[in-house]
Amino acid sequence: MLALRLTRGAHPAVQLRRLLVAMASAGTGFLLLCALGYAISHPDDPRAAALRLAWCLTPLAATVHFALAVARTDPGNRPRPGLSAIGLGPARLMAVSATTTVLSCLLGSMLALLFFLHLRGDLTGMPFDGAAAEFLAAGTPLPLPAALTLLGLVPAIASVTVALVLRPRDDRPESVRRAARSYGRFGAYGRTAARETFGAYGRFRGQSATGGRTNGAAPEPGEDTPTTTLTEENPAPDGTPDGVPPIPREAPGGLPWGIAVLAAGLAVEAYANRPGTSAATPLPGGLAGTPSVLVGWLLTAVGLAVAGPGLTHLCGRVLQSTRPGALRLLAGRVLMTEATRIGRPLGVVCAVASGTYAMTTLYDPTGPEVGPLTTLGLLLVTGCTLATLLTAAVEAKQARSDTTAALIRLGAPATMLRSAAALRAGALLALFGPLTLVVAELAALPLTG
């Protein structure tokens, strides 16, 4: 009931993102049902049916990734002070987020089932003069357990992924967590190294009553009071807007691994086109390829996704090089801070764009035309990846809202903030645009030689 109330009373932008998740779930569920219909209508060709079902894994992964991004940006599931007192702690909010994701995906699965039954002619007769009867198994009884199992894949996988990623974590260092397991004096967390003496309580009372000075001693007129300077060694506490973006964390460590996996994928694709190799696996839409080509594309996509955060961090560091001004310093520091949040969806978009270009290059005009299911799959994967990137950008904007508000209070013009955002976008486009073209050319070159 709580998840339903939060869903009903959410902001229109949040509702729009949930509706997009439902549409993506509907498209993926429809592709899964079409693969089931093809298997029913072609019982003598199980290999082609299994291949169609395997190609549905890409839209499934894109949909789950998008659902996770939407759950991370949902403001209703963000921990707030005082919610734990009424039973809405981090674990309960995680459960609410997973339930909301399940509801959105179930709505899409129901729509996919209704549309599939409508095209089969089970509801109001066969539409489109039976043009879709080949891959819908029209006139053949639909196995309900198999259909419900396939339709339940998206809600189940999406909810489990959201629950695992958004589960409560203790981000404190191990030494701090170990010290917090025990209570010290007066109910404080941790223990001190020195043992308490008999007069500790009296000294504590005297200091607390006089502002930290024993016997009520007041500061002398010329006495300096201790001050705290915000530096890299002494950063501001979390949630304290000081007008300066937070110090970036360490660089993501996946850049070398991503480059290695990307090179391995390109090498596998080059090896797949060695002399004497024939195209043994037909791809959707009349494309030609081998199992090694599919493995190479998968490794290339994984390599770009893993290397994305490191490349984004590197882009931010380049922006701050050679005596940067305030604009470049702000843009570069934001890129370095949000490298993990923005870089991974950006790497996935780069992988999808390069794969789409390679598939377009490999298309044989003399072969079969690209069918509606292949078009639906390409649109679904492309749309989910772009929507995930935009959602991650919204999440990054929400994460630095305190810093942005502090800069505005300090007198920073709004044009400067917009210029910094444009500079970040231009720097990312200048890095990932040529990278996408180069990877796409290298991926398609061995297969077109």
Side-chain angles (χ1 to χ4, degrees):
M1 292 300 297
L2 179 61
L4 290 175
R5 291 180 180 178
L6 292 177
T7 302
R8 184 182 59 183
H11 192 271
V14 179
Q15 299 284 22
L16 177 61
R17 291 195 291 266
R18 292 171 179 170
L19 181 60
L20 292 178
V21 171
M23 294 176 59
S25 176
T28 305
F30 182 76
L31 290 177
L32 291 172
L33 289 178
C34 289
L36 176 62
Y38 184 87
I40 295 175
S41 58
H42 298 79
D44 54 343
D45 193 4
R47 185 170 179 271
L51 179 64
R52 286 175 175 266
L53 185 61
W55 271 101
C56 294
L57 296 179
T58 304
L60 176 61
T63 302
V64 172
H65 192 203
F66 178 47
L68 174 61
V70 171
R72 288 170 62 96
T73 57
D74 194 345
N77 302 326
R78 194 172 303 164
R80 297 181 181 88
L83 290 182
S84 298
I86 59 175
L88 291 178
R92 183 71 180 277
L93 290 178
M94 178 269 295
V96 170
S97 180
T99 305
T100 304
T101 304
V102 167
L103 293 177
S104 300
C105 294
L106 282 178
L107 176 61
S109 298
M110 292 174 57
L111 294 177
L113 179 60
L114 291 177
F115 188 66
F116 183 78
L117 294 177
H118 172 68
L119 292 181
R120 277 172 49 91
D122 296 338
L123 299 180
T124 59
M126 181 68 66
F128 306 116
D129 298 330
E134 178 183 359
F135 54 85
L136 297 180
T140 305
L142 183 67
L144 187 59
L148 294 180
T149 301
L150 292 177
L151 289 176
L153 287 178
V154 178
I157 297 177
S159 61
V160 171
T161 303
V162 169
L164 290 178
V165 174
L166 300 184
R167 69 185 185 275
R169 293 189 183 91
D170 192 355
D171 297 331
R172 296 176 299 176
E174 179 63 26
S175 59
V176 178
R177 292 199 301 267
R178 191 182 302 111
R181 296 188 186 119
S182 59
Y183 292 93
R185 60 175 183 175
F186 314 125
Y189 286 105
R191 294 186 182 273
T192 57
R195 296 177 60 88
E196 302 295 345
T197 59
F198 178 76
Y201 180 74
R203 290 195 298 272
F204 176 78
R205 287 284 297 176
Q207 292 178 7
S208 62
T210 60
R213 297 181 179 271
T214 58
N215 302 326
E220 298 296 335
E223 182 180 354
D224 294 333
T225 56
T227 58
T228 302
T229 303
L230 298 177
T231 61
E232 294 188 4
E233 291 78 10
N234 187 22
D238 295 338
T240 302
D242 56 357
V244 179
I247 301 298
R249 294 175 293 182
E250 296 181 358
L255 182 58
W257 289 103
I259 295 176
V261 174
L262 175 61
L266 296 176
V268 168
E269 293 179 14
Y271 178 78
N273 198 42
R274 68 189 189 279
T277 303
S278 59
T281 303
L283 306 182
L287 303 178
T290 63
S292 299
V293 174
L294 304 182
V295 174
W297 283 358
L298 179 60
L299 290 177
T300 302
V302 172
L304 288 173
V306 173
L311 292 175
T312 305
H313 190 275
L314 179 62
C315 188
R317 185 174 293 276
V318 170
L319 275 179
Q320 300 178 79
S321 61
T322 63
R323 302 180 64 181
L327 183 62
R328 286 199 293 135
L329 186 63
L330 177 61
R333 178 160 292 188
V334 169
L335 277 182
M336 293 175 64
T337 305
E338 304 294 339
T340 304
R341 185 178 285 111
I342 295 294
R344 201 170 303 279
L346 195 57
V348 174
V349 170
C350 182
V352 171
S354 60
T356 304
Y357 179 83
M359 292 179 67
T360 305
T361 305
L362 296 176
Y363 176 69
D364 186 8
T366 61
E369 296 182 356
V370 177
L373 295 182
T374 304
T375 304
L376 175 61
L378 291 176
L379 291 178
L380 186 60
V381 172
T382 305
C384 285
T385 52
L386 291 177
T388 302
L389 178 59
L390 295 178
T391 306
V394 172
E395 181 186 3
K397 184 179 179 181
Q398 294 175 354
R400 62 175 183 271
S401 59
D402 293 340
T403 301
T404 303
L407 290 173
I408 293 177
R409 286 196 303 269
L410 291 176
T415 55
M416 179 182 178
L417 300 179
R418 289 193 293 266
S419 300
L423 183 59
R424 292 195 302 269
L428 291 176
L429 184 61
L431 176 63
F432 282 91
L435 177 63
T436 302
L437 295 178
V438 169
V439 172
E441 287 288 348
L442 292 178
L445 184 62
L447 304 177
T448 56

